[in-house]
């Protein structure tokens, strides 16, 4: 599968390529106006294809083989980012993504979420099935309204949620360490 047929659609705003299994080597250079991109469950392994997509507000790379998100440094208009079910281990490159409202890092190898203190607008966070060891940073995430914490160690730091005064929805199916 390729998207060469779209080469002249330079004003394309939204592109959903989810589950295009044969998709692995594409160019998105011409799509400067792209705001929504879904690459979930594709064989994309490199995000440098997004180097000109500086208008992106929504990006879904769930279930891809991507291991780092360094190429997202220029995509600082992102409001929604889903990197769940990837091998990504670090999200520190997102330090300038202050517009993030929704972040899903579930089922990743991320174990440090200190960067969340920069996301003052974050309202929805999914950290399910991660190996995060300290949740104290959540005390700085005062705007979070929805938090997914299933299969985490948050039970050891649950008191930090007392600072999340806007928290309305807390989803947990179970905690590690409990029988």
């Amino acid at each position: 599968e390729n998207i060469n047929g779209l080469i002249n659609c330079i004003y394309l705003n939204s592109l959903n390529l989810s589950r295009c299994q044969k998709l692995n080597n594409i160019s998105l250079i011409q799509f400067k106006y792209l705001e929504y991109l879904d690459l979930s469950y594709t064989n994309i392994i490199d995000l440098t294809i997004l180097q000109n997509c500086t208008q992106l507000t929504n990006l879904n790379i769930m279930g891809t083989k991507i291991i780092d998100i360094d190429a997202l440094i220029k995509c600082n208009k992102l409001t929604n980012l889903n990197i769940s079910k990837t091998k990504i281990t670090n999200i520190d490159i997102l330090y300038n993504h202050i517009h993030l409202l929704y972040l899903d890092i579930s089922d990743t190898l991320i174990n440090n979420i200190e960067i969340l203190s920069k996301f003052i607008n974050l309202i929805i966070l999914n950290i399910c099935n991660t190996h995060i060891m300290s949740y104290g940073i959540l005390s700085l995430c005062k705007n979070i309204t929805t938090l997914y914490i299933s299969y985490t160690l948050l039970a050891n730091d649950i008191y930090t949620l007392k600072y999340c005064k806007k928290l309305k929805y807390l989803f947990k199916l179970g905690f590690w360490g409990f029988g």
Side-chain angles (χ1 to χ4, degrees), residues 34-179:
L34 200 59
E35 293 180 15
Y36 174 90
L37 180 61
D38 189 341
L39 296 172
S40 61
Y41 297 103
T42 62
N43 288 319
I44 298 292
I45 58 171
D46 185 3
L47 288 179
T48 57
I49 60 171
L50 303 178
Q51 61 190 0
N52 286 349
C53 299
T54 57
Q55 301 302 312
L56 269 181
T57 57
N58 293 275
L59 178 62
N60 185 349
I61 57 171
M62 175 192 342
T64 61
K65 296 176 180 165
I66 293 169
I67 57 173
D68 79 64
I69 55 173
D70 290 353
L72 295 182
I73 192 150
K74 292 181 181 177
C75 300
N76 59 4
K77 292 184 180 181
L78 283 172
T79 57
N80 298 304
L81 179 60
N82 185 339
I83 60 174
S84 63
K85 299 181 180 176
T86 63
K87 301 266 191 247
I88 294 169
T89 60
N90 189 313
I91 57 172
D92 289 346
I93 196 70
L94 300 175
Y95 67 89
N96 67 342
H97 289 65
I98 59 171
H99 303 293
L100 273 177
L101 300 173
Y102 169 87
L103 179 62
D104 188 341
I105 61 172
S106 62
D107 295 296
T108 63
L109 301 173
I110 294 167
N111 59 18
N112 183 338
I113 56 171
E114 296 295 317
I115 193 69
L116 292 183
S117 66
K118 304 283 186 189
F119 307 148
I120 57 173
N121 297 307
L122 193 65
I123 56 174
I124 302 173
L125 177 63
N126 187 339
I127 56 174
C128 293
N129 201 23
T130 58
H131 299 283
I132 297 166
M133 300 303 285
S134 175
Y135 297 92
I137 198 69
L138 290 178
S139 66
L140 298 176
C141 300
K142 295 182 180 5
N143 288 318
I144 289 182
T145 61
T146 307
L147 181 60
Y148 297 85
I149 59 172
S150 301
Y151 303 106
T152 66
L153 296 172
L154 186 53
N156 298 336
D157 254 350
I158 198 95
Y159 72 93
T160 61
L161 295 180
K162 71 181 180 182
Y163 298 106
C164 300
K165 296 190 190 289
K166 294 185 180 181
L167 188 64
K168 294 180 185 177
Y169 308 101
L170 179 63
F171 296 94
K172 117 186 156 48
L173 295 175
F175 288 110
W176 289 346
F178 285 89

Side-chain angles (χ1 to χ4, degrees), residues 1-4 17-26:
E1 298 176 48
N2 70 48
I3 60 170
N4 290 337
L17 299 171
S18 178
R19 299 195 185 275
C20 293
Q21 293 295 316
K22 295 180 183 175
L23 191 66
N24 57 16
N25 188 16
I26 62 170

